[in-house]
Amino acid sequence: MPEDTEDNELNAKRWAWWRTVSARLEDASSWEVLWRLRVFWGTQGPTAKQAALLRQFIPEFKGRSITEVGEWLAGTAWKEWRTLFAEDARRLQKEAEARGFRVETVQEGLDDPAIAHVRSLLRAHGDAHPEAARYWISFLPSFHEGGCILVTLGPGESLVSVASRAQHETVPVPDERGLRFLEELAALDPLGIPGGNQIGLDGIYLTCLVEERQGRREFSTWSPDPKQYPREHGFVWAVYQLAADLIRDPVTCRFLEEMFGYLNDNDERLPVRHFDEVPRRIRLFGSLSSMKAKALEALFASVSPDEPLLMDLSSFEGMGTSQYPLFARFHSRPGRTAWWVNRIATMQLLGAGLPRSHLHDTLEAARAALLDAS
């Protein structure tokens, strides 16, 4: 494919969602307009006086020295926020203009009603339980639809909510899993996470909120590399993994699987989910490179030889032919395996030598094949 044609296709994908969202403006009764806002101060970074003023109203700069703010913004001409709700954009604009800064606001799109619903859960929980903990991430990826994750911990029931594509799901967080999540965050000191790394073209823009008894912290980050930005990445991954462990709705699961490709920092980590069902289901999604061969072998080895198993490849995006023997060997074990497949998985599993009679187009058909054989 010619390089310029490929670039055009990538650009088309990148902006397809924004065009779709913009087209909904005429029917926006259930959608909330989102805004992009920039605060300007000059061309070579803020002066000491401007840095002092910025500390007064920009959340991530509160508590930092004038020197730190100046060093952080050195060589820049503005600071930008994306996907702001109108209320938040108006507040920032008012605060900035009151201190003499020039402000530019641009309508960016519309908020999915499901995301607006989860945002309302955040506000309601904060009003009812100001002393409790809340963790929020908004996802704005380059090539997929955006979404959000909200974690609310106590008092009473702890919950995780996920929203995308006009669909939202809220499920309880078991006490043991919630404690493990809090331990992961405690190691990161979430109220001190700096955020603010540079924005790129291909990746994901993340806006994060931490609300705990000890304080409140907002920060944004772009595709945080775990080596350069370990705390930003650690926070995002902990929230993401909690949701991925518990969410079950097919639409919200698909959103989380798409985000995995943006957030995964380990080329050897499998895109896999386990479902505690009868019969047990293991879901492989995305694509499998040769670097994942050892992890795939370990996954297959973890299954009892006689256990009936439903392998879910309904969102599979492909693998190299070097992986075929692993699938063929696993399928030949004594226990029966039924495969829920899409078009790509069907083609590749047939290429690996699996019988067509064990490949099924629906979850119900795959499950019935296992139950009928037991």
Side-chain angles (χ1 to χ4, degrees):
M1 179 184 293
E3 186 175 344
D4 57 345
T5 302
E6 185 174 358
D7 288 342
N8 289 337
E9 290 183 2
L10 289 174
N11 287 330
K13 286 182 178 180
R14 182 174 302 159
W15 298 112
W17 182 65
W18 289 119
R19 290 198 300 269
T20 301
V21 169
S22 298
R24 294 171 174 151
L25 279 167
E26 295 180 359
D27 184 26
S29 58
S30 62
W31 298 73
E32 184 171 350
V33 174
L34 298 174
W35 296 86
R36 179 184 302 183
L37 182 144
R38 283 182 178 178
V39 174
F40 294 84
W41 49 77
T43 58
Q44 299 297 323
T47 64
K49 181 180 178 180
Q50 289 172 327
L53 293 170
L54 291 169
R55 290 193 312 158
Q56 296 175 6
F57 71 96
I58 295 181
E60 55 261 50
F61 295 156
K62 290 184 178 179
R64 297 186 178 276
S65 69
I66 295 174
T67 301
E68 286 178 313
V69 174
E71 291 176 350
W72 188 267
L73 299 173
T76 64
W78 69 80
K79 179 170 175 59
E80 181 178 75
W81 291 262
R82 297 183 64 186
T83 64
L84 289 174
F85 288 85
E87 177 184 343
D88 299 322
R90 282 194 297 267
R91 176 181 56 81
L92 275 172
Q93 183 175 9
K94 181 179 178 180
E95 296 271 12
E97 290 179 341
R99 292 165 174 81
F101 292 101
R102 182 170 67 88
V103 177
E104 178 183 281
T105 57
V106 179
Q107 185 172 299
E108 190 161 46
L110 294 170
D111 186 36
D112 186 307
I115 298 175
H117 171 78
V118 174
R119 174 78 73 166
S120 72
L121 297 181
L122 169 66
R123 292 168 176 165
H125 190 268
D127 292 341
H129 308 291
E131 76 287 357
R134 287 164 292 279
Y135 307 94
W136 163 280
I137 302 178
S138 175
F139 299 78
L140 187 64
S142 295
F143 301 107
H144 295 88
E145 289 196 36
C148 68
I149 300 175
L150 168 66
V151 180
T152 56
L153 300 180
E157 190 173 40
S158 296
L159 303 169
V160 59
S161 302
V162 176
S164 180
R165 296 186 181 89
Q167 179 76 15
H168 60 82
E169 180 182 8
T170 298
V171 297
V173 177
D175 290 344
E176 182 179 350
R177 185 64 182 88
L179 288 173
R180 179 152 59 92
F181 171 74
L182 286 176
E183 289 173 357
E184 293 169 353
L185 290 192
L188 302 171
D189 181 22
L191 290 173
I193 295 177
N197 56 309
Q198 293 297 314
I199 292 178
L201 292 176
D202 300 335
I204 186 166
Y205 182 76
L206 305 151
T207 56
C208 307
L209 171 67
V210 178
E211 290 185 338
E212 297 179 337
R213 184 189 299 271
Q214 300 87 347
R216 186 177 190 274
R217 174 80 177 134
E218 294 179 72
F219 65 93
S220 60
T221 183
W222 173 268
S223 296
D225 182 274
K227 294 180 180 178
Q228 289 185 290
Y229 305 99
R231 294 167 69 192
E232 290 87 340
H233 182 273
F235 174 82
V236 172
W237 185 257
V239 172
Y240 168 85
Q241 194 59 60
L242 177 67
D245 287 348
L246 300 173
I247 289 296
R248 291 293 179 266
D249 177 83
V251 175
T252 46
C253 282
R254 180 61 176 164
F255 161 70
L256 292 173
E257 291 170 1
E258 291 169 350
M259 297 307 100
F260 178 90
Y262 292 93
L263 303 177
N264 179 34
D265 63 307
N266 186 344
D267 289 334
E268 298 179 3
R269 180 185 286 131
L270 277 181
V272 62
R273 300 188 69 211
H274 299 263
F275 294 82
D276 188 15
E277 302 171 346
V278 178
R280 186 158 72 100
R281 174 161 59 113
I282 296 177
R283 178 177 176 88
L284 286 170
F285 57 90
S287 58
L288 297 177
S289 68
S290 59
M291 298 182 67
K292 294 180 170 61
K294 289 185 178 180
L296 185 62
E297 286 186 86
L299 172 68
F300 287 159
S302 70
V303 178
S304 172
D306 298 318
E307 178 186 3
L309 186 72
L310 197 159
M311 287 296 299
D312 178 355
L313 274 68
S314 59
S315 291
F316 195 60
E317 296 178 2
M319 61 179 164
T321 56
S322 63
Q323 311 280 46
Y324 283 7
L326 298 178
F327 281 83
R329 191 181 313 126
F330 178 70
H331 184 77
S332 66
R333 68 194 180 90
R336 184 174 176 84
T337 306
W339 301 80
W340 176 22
V341 293
N342 59 11
R343 181 185 60 82
I344 294 174
T346 298
M347 178 184 66
Q348 296 210 291
L349 292 180
L350 290 175
L354 274 65
R356 183 66 180 86
S357 60
H358 287 236
L359 310 184
H360 306 277
D361 295 332
T362 66
L363 174 61
E364 292 73 19
R367 186 175 287 141
L370 287 176
L371 295 175
D372 292 344
S374 60

